[in-house]
Amino acid sequence: MSSAASPSSPVAASSSSPASSRRHAVVRVPVTTVWSAPDSPRPVDAPVVRAEPDAAAWLAALDGEPDGRGRLGLHGRAETQLVAGEPVLVVEEREVAGPSASDPARSSAEGTDAAPPVSWSRIVAPWQPSPKDPAGYPGWVPTDHLTHVPDWSETASGPPPATDHPATDVDHPALVLAREHLGLPYLWGGLSPLGLDCSGLVHHTWRRFGLVVPRDASAQEEGSEPVEVDAVRPGDLYFFAHPGKGVHHVGIVVEPGRMVHASETGGVLVEEQLGQDRLDTLVSAGRLPRP
């Protein structure tokens, strides 16, 4: 995943929280999507912005939409995702009314044309380093998806290592974990086993070892140790870019010329040899800390 521009459309008037009243919070739902703006969600995204989000219903709804209006339509709207227990700093809150952040069926049943106002929080996520904000990845989430806490200083520096990852003496540990998701459908902004994008796969995999790495592919290139493309080892990263443009794709090296990656063009997470189109856009390689 590379950086995406936020769609420009007006939002309701709001009251901002001054810096002195910024609040610590943690995610209370299994997964919440971070949006570019409070009005970024579409009617098809209603299940995942409810107070109790239904990710399975959301993904099913996305897959029922024509190309460009389902998963691919998240470009410029969704930024990343947060998982339960992840700390955030709330820097502003807004109330926004409109069907884009509501359940249309509910509005119809209640005999109203628009949903009641929904509270949104502008946050930064310290577990997801990003050049967009030195404090962490920025964006908007439904306020109902957060629980405010007095302080999260003990957890803000990074997640604890997971206890469910397998040990290996053969393969790079990151490859073992990445392969668990082979066949998973691609999801722009995805950062959980429900759906992943290319850089989300990298970030999610290293996070399971308790290691904090940048969220987006371009930042992952900048944050990794440079490696010559012809000297890669299993667990290194391949980075891809079109001429004159920034990095837009990343994959985890299995062996020279082969990688595990979340392929938007293929629609799923795959392990495969680099085709000519990939070789033509392969611009660099990097190495993250070994778990």
Side-chain angles (χ1 to χ4, degrees), residues 1-202:
M1 175 181 175
S2 57
S3 299
S6 170
S8 57
S9 53
V11 294
S14 66
S15 59
S16 300
S17 299
S20 61
S21 64
R22 292 180 177 184
R23 295 186 290 170
H24 300 102
V26 296
V27 177
R28 69 163 191 85
V29 296
V31 182
T32 185
T33 296
V34 179
W35 302 89
S36 300
D39 59 348
S40 292
R42 307 153 295 175
V44 71
D45 302 315
V48 82
V49 297
R50 294 172 182 156
E52 301 300 329
D54 188 337
W58 177 52
L59 295 175
L62 292 178
D63 290 336
E65 291 289 321
D67 288 346
R69 292 174 55 189
R71 293 183 184 232
L72 294 182
L74 291 171
H75 282 250
R77 295 179 180 275
E79 296 285 352
T80 185
Q81 290 183 321
L82 310 169
V83 298
E86 186 163 352
V88 299
L89 182 64
V90 177
V91 297
E92 181 183 349
E93 291 187 4
R94 293 183 181 181
E95 284 195 347
V96 180
S100 62
S102 70
D103 182 346
R106 174 185 168 190
S107 296
S108 176
E110 293 177 354
T112 61
D113 294 327
V118 175
S119 176
W120 286 82
S121 293
R122 182 164 66 90
I123 57 90
V124 290
W127 285 3
Q128 301 187 36
S130 170
K132 297 179 179 181
D133 192 305
Y137 213 103
W140 293 83
V141 299
T143 302
D144 283 340
H145 294 183
L146 305 175
T147 295
H148 293 285
V149 295
D151 180 44
W152 43 233
S153 57
E154 292 185 1
T155 61
S157 60
T163 59
D164 60 344
H165 56 75
T168 176
D169 295 324
V170 180
D171 291 324
H172 189 286
L175 279 176
V176 176
L177 295 188
R179 283 173 168 149
E180 292 180 357
H181 304 298
L182 291 175
L184 183 72
Y186 179 96
L187 180 67
W188 175 268
L191 200 66
S192 83
L194 294 171
L196 294 161
D197 60 22
C198 64
S199 58
L201 171 65
V202 172

Side-chain angles (χ1 to χ4, degrees), residues 1-4 131-132 137 186 188 198-199 202 214-224 229 237-251 259 264 278 281-286:
M1 175 181 175
S2 57
S3 299
K132 297 179 179 181
Y137 213 103
Y186 179 96
W188 175 268
C198 64
S199 58
V202 172
R215 170 59 177 91
D216 290 341
S218 57
Q220 288 170 358
E221 182 197 33
E222 294 177 2
S224 62
V229 169
L237 304 179
Y238 279 140
F239 296 102
F240 303 85
H242 296 295
K245 297 185 177 181
V247 168
H248 68 270
H249 190 65
V250 60
M259 67 179 178
E264 182 173 27
R278 294 294 185 193
T281 56
L282 176 60
V283 294
S284 65

